[in-house]
Amino acid sequence: MSGPGRWLRTRADELVRAVRLPPHGHGRPLRERLRERPFRRFVLLLGMLGVLGIVMLLVPQPDLAAAPEMVDDLGPFAPVAAVVVGALLLVALVPRTFLTVAWGALFGPLGGAGYTLGAALLAAALGFAVGRLLGREFVAERIRGRLARLDGWFARQSVFGVITVRLLPIGGFGLVSYGYGTTGARLLPFLVGSLLASVPSAFGYAAVGAAVAEPDTFNPLSVAPAGLGLIATAVIVWRWRRSALRDRTPAAPPAGTAPN
């Protein structure tokens, strides 16, 4: 894992350890803690994510053979159904890569990419809202020290920061959306950054899905956005590392100041 990925993973582990313990009254019975609404909501969030993860592991991969006929039956409502169903699958922790390839096979490279981006935007909003409703209050009451500074970083984060986190291999699309909701991040930069970070891979994987469905229609230029996405990822990680090194470098004392 890259340096930025390890840094974020370490901070996430610290966050998990921090929220396991209440700020006071450690050792209280679980029944007493369940009377607290923030604690109940956070337990509900963790339980929901656990159930979704188990379902993802146990449910077999669906057979898409009948999907083209279903799309034809929907007629003009097919795009709306593709966006809504895609968003529900993403918040259910279905990998965005699988969804994009499937939508590319069903709707072609451009339609598949467009509907996947619409689904990603809706799923980001839904995941953020659920995380904010169920987890934010609990997390905000318990984080201290470096984790509080990390939460402040999320609160000040720009669109570029969201793109950076989205492109790092730290979790699936839906899981990152839930996690962002528990931080102090602002909704608009999160949504814009999530959408922009999804653009290159959306066109690339949709083109792959369309090529699988109709090999004779494959156009090599249709996967060019995926290559651009890899270049953008490398540039973003490089800038992230430079910024992290700069933040860790102590500032030089003002001129004329004698060292202690």
Side-chain angles (χ1 to χ4, degrees), residues 55-219:
V55 170
M56 279 295 302
L57 292 175
L58 298 181
V59 173
Q61 185 172 326
D63 183 9
L64 300 178
E69 183 178 349
M70 296 175 59
V71 171
D72 292 338
D73 292 339
L74 288 172
F77 299 103
V80 176
V83 172
V84 174
V85 173
L88 295 178
L89 291 175
L90 290 176
V91 296
L93 305 186
V94 172
R96 189 169 59 88
T97 300
F98 171 80
L99 178 70
T100 309
V101 172
W103 266 217
L106 292 174
F107 301 102
L110 294 181
Y115 302 152
T116 301
L117 290 175
L121 183 61
L122 180 57
L126 292 174
F128 186 95
V130 172
R132 181 60 53 92
L133 176 64
L134 299 182
R136 175 57 186 164
E137 187 176 0
F138 179 85
V139 171
E141 290 176 353
R142 283 157 175 80
I143 55 175
R144 300 291 186 274
R146 287 185 298 175
L147 289 175
R149 292 194 294 271
L150 177 63
D151 187 70
W153 177 80
F154 277 105
R156 298 186 302 271
Q157 202 173 57
S158 64
V159 171
F160 178 80
V162 177
I163 294 175
T164 303
V165 175
R166 281 292 192 190
L167 293 180
L168 292 174
I170 58 174
F173 188 89
L175 193 60
V176 171
S177 299
Y178 290 121
Y180 256 94
T182 65
T183 70
R186 294 168 295 158
L187 177 60
L188 184 58
F190 170 71
L191 293 180
V192 176
S194 297
L195 180 63
L196 294 178
S198 302
V199 169
S201 60
F203 283 94
Y205 287 121
V208 171
V212 172
E214 299 182 16
D216 295 337
T217 63
F218 177 70
N219 183 358

Side-chain angles (χ1 to χ4, degrees), residues 23-43:
H24 53 78
H26 175 50
R28 291 179 300 160
L30 179 61
R31 181 180 302 177
E32 180 179 342
R33 296 178 63 189
L34 284 173
R35 293 173 184 169
E36 302 174 0
R37 186 175 63 177
F39 183 81
R40 292 199 307 269
R41 288 181 174 179
F42 191 73
V43 169

